[in-house]
């Protein structure tokens, strides 16, 4: 089962030049459990291909794909090559290059090897480990129910012990648990084998440039940070809206739902970027300590401040969409939510009294991920007796996708003899300033893992604190037989989500606003 070497193989093309100021990753073998899965084919391999083009991988970098499927190295390589080529014809793929650079792909392809092994077979994993070099990373691109088992197998096989200054790391995908109890149990089992410094809990949202830019915008610009507090901020909205439904993923989505799928990971990471205190430095522990302090300040969510919905049949972007319950793999009377809206309270000096509203859903009338920071309105006294009946609030909108950048909304005087203010926008867009290239969001995270930088990865206490906040809602929903509120596909979601803000005298920022 040990990976083989073939000295007669054609020499790989020369590695692209590492950019000035960048650091090439150390030599390492990346072992991917789940070599035939969609995550590997659609995201990890394209990300590695992009890292090759960036000149950030060492000549001794290798990839070993492990799965239970009968296959060979040549067949695995050919299948990945076909998948890469297919992306050039698929505008809906997350990775959509105009073409695949042959030399760049060949460099990576010649470093790909396939090994058939069962994830729980200690002897097979021990044999695999016998052929590994000093540095190795084990990537668990597999269903979450296997995470603890594979980590324990790695421990029993003796392949994750670190010695002589070399590293052995394990990358774990979401979902990390399905509630607070399961998250604690998974952490317990993982940390019985590994040191926390070896565990890289990955959330691909944090690989997006626009998410990382939140920290740069907040802490790198003095004009924002003094206003980033309860004296000036009225409320903050965090939205992750999708137009697509569950499509063919009904069997996965049924036991999961929108809250488990999105809130304790993606939305809480955006929340942390927006609301955490400035870390002392941008090293991993300082950033993760700041996140933990924020999460601990979140009061457990009152189930009355949570709304769940499920999309029914409708029309999205001019095309008919079947209801969730009519989707493959979904129970005909399913109570699984495809939409969730929540109100968070943070009990600290910076945010006391400022509500955070989170929403995410599928089958909606608009696709966008964004953070809206709405400021308090200034006093009207100065404008009494003018044409200005109501001052528009100032907003900062952190655009994450599909628009990428920053929008600022402010009041400006309308042309004419009367003093009348209206809402105007100032915008920054990434594509207007920076050259763009196809990117799947995993490139930065894989590189950071190779470099041992845990800043963008979640720590055990971060995981558990996020689950602690949402656990009361999960428990309440488990005992509530009424189920989610139905909403028509192609709309903004259930009416209960609008009522959640309306009772506070507020309204969601429109999904269709440019």
């Amino acid at each position: 089962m040990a990976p083989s070497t073939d000295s007669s193989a054609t020499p790989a093309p020369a590695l692209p030049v590492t950019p000035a100021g960048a650091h090439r990753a150390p030599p390492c073998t990346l072992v991917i459990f789940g070599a035939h899965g969609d995550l590997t084919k659609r995201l990890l391999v394209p990300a590695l291909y992009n890292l090759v083009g960036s000149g950030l991988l060492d000549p001794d970098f290798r990839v070993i794909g492990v799965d239970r499927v009968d296959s060979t190295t040549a067949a695995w390589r050919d299948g990945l090559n076909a998948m890469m080529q297919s992306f050039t014809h698929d505008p809906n793929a997350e990775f959509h290059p105009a073409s695949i650079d042959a030399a760049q792909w060949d460099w990576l392809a010649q470093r790909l090897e396939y090994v058939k092994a069962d994830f729980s077979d200690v002897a097979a994993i021990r044999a695999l480990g016998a052929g590994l070099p000093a540095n190795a990373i084990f990537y668990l691109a597999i269903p979450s129910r296997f995470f603890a088992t594979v980590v324990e197998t790695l421990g029993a096989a003796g392949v994750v012990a670190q010695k002589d200054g070399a590293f052995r790391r394990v990358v774990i995908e979401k979902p990390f648990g399905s509630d607070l109890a399961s998250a604690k149990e998974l952490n317990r089992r993982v940390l019985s084998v590994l040191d926390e410094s070896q565990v890289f809990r990955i959330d691909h949202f944090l690989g997006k440039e626009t998410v990382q830019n939140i920290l740069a915008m907040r802490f790198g610009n003095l004009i924002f940070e003094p206003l980033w507090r309860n004296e000036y901020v009225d409320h903050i909205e965090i939205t992750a809206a999708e137009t697509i439904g569950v499509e063919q993923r009904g069997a996965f989505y049924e036991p999961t739902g929108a809250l488990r799928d999105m809130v304790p990971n993606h939305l809480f990471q955006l929340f942390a970027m927006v609301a955490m205190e400035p870390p002392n430095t941008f090293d991993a522990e300082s950033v993760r300590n700041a996140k933990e302090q924020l999460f601990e300040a979140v009061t457990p969510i009152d189930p009355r401040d949570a709304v769940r919905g499920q999309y029914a049949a409708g029309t999205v972007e001019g095309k008919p969409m079947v209801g969730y319950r009519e989707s493959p793999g979904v129970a005909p009377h399913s109570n699984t939510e495809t939409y969730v809206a929540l109100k968070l309270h943070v009990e600290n000096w910076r945010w006391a009294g400022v509500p955070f509203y989170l929403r995410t859903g599928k089958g909606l009338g608009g696709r966008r991920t964004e953070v809206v920071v709405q400021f308090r309105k200034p006093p009207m006294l100065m404008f009494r007796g003018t044409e200005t009946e109501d001052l528009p609030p100032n907003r900062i909108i952190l655009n994450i996708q599909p628009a990428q950048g920053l929008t600022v909304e402010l009041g400006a005087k309308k042309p004419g003899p009367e003093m009348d203010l209206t809402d105007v926008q100032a915008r920054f867009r990434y594509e207007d300033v920076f050259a763009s290239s196809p990117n799947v969001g995993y490139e930065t995270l894989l590189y950071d893992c190779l470099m041992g930088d845990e800043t963008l990865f979640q720590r055990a206490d971060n995981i558990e604190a996020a689950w602690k906040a949402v656990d009361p809602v999960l428990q309440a929903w488990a005992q509530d037989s009424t189920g989610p509120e139905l909403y028509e596909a192609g709309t903004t979601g259930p009416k209960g989500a609008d009522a959640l803000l309306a009772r506070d005298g507020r309204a969601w920022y429109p999904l269709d606003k440019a």
Side-chain angles (χ1 to χ4, degrees):
M1 288 295 178
S4 61
T5 58
D6 182 2
S7 59
S8 64
T10 303
L15 186 73
V17 176
T18 304
H23 299 282
R24 180 176 290 179
C28 176
T29 293
L30 176 65
V31 180
I32 301 177
F33 289 94
H36 284 278
D38 274 353
L39 174 60
T40 299
K41 294 184 287 187
R42 302 190 68 86
L43 296 172
L44 297 185
V45 170
L48 292 172
Y49 166 83
N50 287 338
L51 286 176
V52 173
S54 300
L56 295 175
L57 298 181
D58 188 88
D60 289 330
F61 177 77
R62 297 289 186 277
V63 179
I64 300 175
V66 181
D67 218 321
R68 294 173 290 186
V69 177
D70 281 321
S71 188
T72 63
T73 293
W76 189 50
R77 288 176 181 173
D78 289 345
L80 292 175
N81 179 54
M83 178 67 77
M84 292 288 290
Q85 298 299 333
S86 73
F87 294 143
T88 63
H89 308 294
D90 183 2
N92 296 317
E94 292 192 57
F95 180 60
H96 179 55
S99 62
I100 301 298
D101 183 276
Q104 189 172 318
W105 171 250
D106 286 347
W107 191 96
L108 178 61
Q110 292 186 30
R111 288 164 170 79
L112 300 175
E113 181 172 354
Y114 181 78
V115 172
K116 180 188 176 184
D118 189 280
F119 301 154
S120 60
D121 187 335
V122 174
I125 302 306
R126 183 181 293 118
L128 170 68
L132 293 177
N135 295 331
I137 294 173
F138 302 90
Y139 198 117
L140 309 191
I142 54 179
S144 59
R145 65 183 181 275
F146 297 122
F147 289 165
T149 299
V150 173
V151 170
E152 289 167 347
T153 300
L154 291 171
V159 300
V160 288
Q162 300 186 116
K163 56 185 178 181
D164 301 328
F167 62 77
R168 293 292 169 97
R169 298 168 184 150
V170 176
V171 182
I172 302 178
E173 277 279 347
K174 78 170 187 73
F176 203 90
S178 57
D179 54 20
L180 178 58
S182 60
K184 285 184 172 180
E185 176 62 10
L186 181 53
N187 274 330
R188 184 194 66 78
R189 293 177 67 181
V190 168
L191 296 178
S192 69
V193 176
L194 303 166
D195 183 79
E196 178 66 46
S197 64
Q198 295 178 271
V199 185
F200 287 69
R201 301 172 187 84
I202 196 167
D203 184 338
H204 74 270
F205 249 44
L206 294 185
K208 297 180 182 294
E209 290 289 351
T210 43
V211 173
Q212 297 171 51
N213 187 54
I214 296 174
L215 295 184
M217 184 277 298
R218 278 191 62 192
F219 303 131
N221 297 283
L222 194 57
I223 62 173
F224 294 125
E225 181 57 23
L227 304 177
W228 221 256
R229 58 193 69 248
N230 52 13
E231 295 99 316
Y232 304 104
V233 175
D234 178 80
H235 71 277
I236 295 178
E237 302 170 32
I238 301 175
T239 296
E242 297 180 275
T243 53
I244 62 171
V246 295
E247 299 178 328
Q248 304 302 313
R249 299 174 68 238
F252 158 79
Y253 207 82
E254 265 290 87
T256 306
L259 194 153
R260 288 184 172 92
D261 188 40
M262 292 291 291
V263 176
N265 35 71
H266 293 341
L267 294 193
F268 257 70
Q269 289 304 308
L270 290 177
F271 164 61
M273 294 290 201
V274 170
M276 71 184 192
E277 292 299 310
N280 293 329
T281 65
F282 273 109
D283 66 77
E285 289 313 295
S286 293
V287 171
R288 298 197 294 182
N289 287 342
K291 289 182 179 181
E292 179 61 19
Q293 290 169 5
L294 173 68
F295 292 164
E296 290 293 344
V298 176
T299 58
I301 301 168
D302 188 327
R304 293 171 296 182
D305 289 335
V307 176
R308 56 176 169 163
Q310 183 189 94
Y311 68 84
T315 302
V316 180
E317 298 178 333
K319 298 180 180 179
M321 177 179 287
V322 300
Y324 174 73
R325 293 174 181 174
E326 289 76 53
S327 301
V330 174
H333 303 290
S334 172
N335 277 340
T336 297
E337 78 283 356
T338 62
Y339 180 103
V340 60
L342 306 166
K343 180 166 74 170
L344 300 184
H345 297 282
V346 181
E347 295 301 323
N348 64 15
W349 285 97
R350 182 182 291 266
W351 297 118
V354 176
F356 287 76
Y357 301 102
L358 281 60
R359 61 174 169 172
T360 182
K362 292 184 176 295
L364 297 175
R367 173 180 174 261
R368 61 174 59 195
T369 301
E370 66 187 10
V371 177
V372 178
V373 181
Q374 180 162 313
F375 292 89
R376 299 181 184 276
K377 292 184 180 182
M380 271 291 295
L381 181 62
M382 175 181 173
F383 294 96
R384 286 179 182 171
T386 72
E387 292 295 313
T388 299
E389 298 179 357
D390 187 25
L391 289 173
N394 299 142
R395 298 185 184 93
I396 294 175
I397 299 110
L398 307 170
N399 310 110
I400 296 167
Q401 65 180 20
Q404 299 183 353
L406 176 74
T407 303
V408 179
E409 293 188 354
L410 60 156
K413 180 186 174 299
K414 290 182 180 179
E418 302 289 345
M419 175 56 73
D420 190 6
L421 272 66
T422 189
D423 203 22
V424 298
Q425 293 185 337
R427 296 178 179 173
F428 151 67
R429 292 290 181 263
Y430 261 71
E431 63 267 23
D432 295 336
V433 179
F434 304 110
S436 62
S437 57
N439 184 293
V440 299
Y442 276 80
E443 290 83 356
T444 296
L445 298 172
L446 287 170
Y447 175 72
D448 284 355
C449 188
L450 288 164
M451 298 296 289
D453 184 349
E454 296 181 283
T455 304
L456 297 177
F457 297 84
Q458 299 193 66
R459 203 168 57 190
D461 54 356
N462 293 173
I463 293 279
E464 293 178 14
W467 278 115
K468 182 180 179 181
V470 303
D471 216 45
V473 177
L474 288 171
Q475 293 182 27
W477 286 356
Q479 299 169 9
D480 182 3
S481 60
T482 58
E485 176 188 347
L486 296 180
Y487 61 94
E488 184 181 346
T491 63
T492 59
K495 297 186 185 305
D498 295 329
L500 178 67
L501 271 68
R503 74 189 190 200
D504 296 336
R506 300 183 174 97
W508 294 104
Y509 191 75
L511 277 179
D512 59 356
K513 190 166 184 178

